[in-house]
Amino acid sequence: MDTPAETKKIIFSGIQPSGTLTLGNYIGALRNFKLLEDEYQCIYCVVDMHAITVRQDPAALRRRCLELAAIYIASGLDPKKNVIYCQSHVSAHAELAWILNCFTYMGELQRMTQFKDKAQKHADNINAGLFTYPTLMAADILLYQTDLVPIGADQKQHLELTRDIAQRFNGVYGDVFTVPEGYFGKVGSRIMSLQDPTRKMSKSDPEDTFISLLDPPDAIRRKVRRAVTDSEADIRFDPANKPGVSNLLSIIAALTGQSVEEAAAELRGQGYGKLKDRVSECVIETLAPLQSEHRRLMADKAYLQGVLTENAEIANRMALRTLRKVQRKVGFAERLK
Ligand code: AMP
Ligand code: TRP
C-alpha cells in the first residue's frame, strides 16, 4: 500500500494493549471499525505508550501488542487497506503530544474522569503520564487530520478535549488541524460489568466481571450465567431500574442488529435463564470466527511483525506531514533536511 489517497476522509482509533480485550471493547469500538472500511482511510493504533501510564510487565506488554494487532486483523480488518501499527513505532506521536501539552490547561486535565478513576485505582503511582494521557490521545488523533473517531462512550470526554485543543491551536495559527467528530454505535457504546452493572466492563477488573474476546465457550456460559440481574422476572430495557437485564439486552442487540426492544419482545415471559442462554449463544457465535483467526495469526509472528513494520512506515509518512507543519507554525528553527 502506498501513502493513502488524500481524497478519502480519515478514521483513527486506538486500543490499549493493557490486558485481554473485553466484549465491551468489541461492542463499543472494534466492531464499528470495519463498518466504514471502504468509505474511509482507516488507521488503527495499538497504543502502547498509553498503556505504560500504569505499570506493565515488559514481556507481557510486548506479547499483548502483537496479540492486539492480531485481534484487529481477526476482527476482519484487512491490513492492506487499514493502517494497523504500534504507537511507539511512530515518534511523531510523542513529539506532537509535547507541543499540545503547551496548549492544554492543568484545569482541563484535572477534570478528566478517567484520570480521577485511575488515580484512585493506582494511588501509589499517580504519574505525570497518567495526567497528560489525554494530550497524547489528542496528538494521536490530530496527527492524521482525522475526521471521525469510533470510540465507546467513556472516551467522549477525551474527544471533546481533543476538539478544544485543536480549535485553540487553529485559533492562534490558522487551520492546521481538522477538528474530529466522534462515532458511537447506536447500541452498546457502554457495556457494563457482569457483576456490577452500574460500572463499565473493564479489562482491569476481576475476571468474572468481563468476557474476554478469547474466552472459550464454557467460560462465557459460566460468566453470563452468574451475571447480576434483579429479583423481578420481567425482561425489559430500563437501564435506570434494571441495569443488569438492560446490559444483557444491549449485548444481544449489538450483536444481532436487533433493537433492544425487539430483543426484549422476543424473550418476554421466558425468564432470566433463557435471556442468559440467548446472550451466551450470541457472544459465542460472534467470537468463534474471531478466535480461530486470532489463533492462526498468533502462530505466525513473523507475518504480524511484518504488518506492523510496513504500516508504521505508512503512518510515519502521514504523521510527519502534520508534525512538520505544526513545528513550523510554532516557530521551531527550520530544518534544511
Ligand atoms: P481501552 O481498552 O480503554 O483502550 O478502550 C478501547 C476502546 O474500547 C475505547 O474506544 C473504549 O471507549 C472502548 N470501550 C472500553 N470499554 C468499553 C465498554 N465497557 N463498553 C463500550 N466500549 C468500551
Ligand atoms: N484512550 C483510549 C482508551 O483508553 C485509547 C486511545 C488512545 C484512543 N488514543 C486514542 C482512542 C485515539 C481513540 C483515538 O480507550
Side-chain angles (χ1 to χ4, degrees), residues 44-48 65 84-90 93 308 312:
Y44 295 120
C45 189
V46 175
V47 291
D48 49 357
C65 287
I84 295 170
Y85 74 105
C86 286
Q87 189 181 31
S88 65
H89 293 179
V90 177
H93 288 256
L308 290 175

Side-chain angles (χ1 to χ4, degrees), residues 100-124:
L100 298 183
N101 267 330
C102 303
F103 288 83
T104 307
Y105 298 110
M106 298 286 286
E108 290 177 307
L109 295 173
Q110 267 152 356
R111 278 200 295 278
M112 295 292 118
T113 54
Q114 182 169 308
F115 171 69
K116 291 191 244 178
D117 283 355
K118 286 202 177 175
Q120 217 173 30
K121 264 195 200 159
H122 305 277
D124 55 337

Side-chain angles (χ1 to χ4, degrees), residues 12-16 47 50 87 114 118 133 136-137 140-141 149-151 154-155 158:
F12 183 98
S13 196
I15 299 182
Q16 299 186 62
V47 291
H50 278 97
Q87 189 181 31
Q114 182 169 308
K118 286 202 177 175
Y133 178 112
L136 177 59
M137 177 161 163
D140 300 342
I141 296 168
V149 186
I151 37 176
D154 63 320
Q155 295 302 312
H158 288 160

Side-chain angles (χ1 to χ4, degrees), residues 24-75:
N25 293 129
Y26 180 78
I27 293 179
L30 201 53
R31 86 189 156 108
N32 294 324
F33 289 2
K34 208 182 149 42
L35 298 179
L36 304 156
E37 186 178 50
D38 294 322
E39 261 171 81
Y40 288 80
Q41 172 58 56
C42 302
I43 307 168
Y44 295 120
C45 189
V46 175
V47 291
D48 49 357
M49 289 161 65
H50 278 97
I52 64 161
T53 53
V54 305
R55 286 280 171 271
Q56 301 289 339
D57 170 62
L61 180 59
R62 205 169 289 124
R63 177 177 44 77
R64 283 205 228 94
C65 287
L66 280 192
E67 227 168 62
L68 179 50
I71 284 187
Y72 279 146
I73 300 170
S75 76

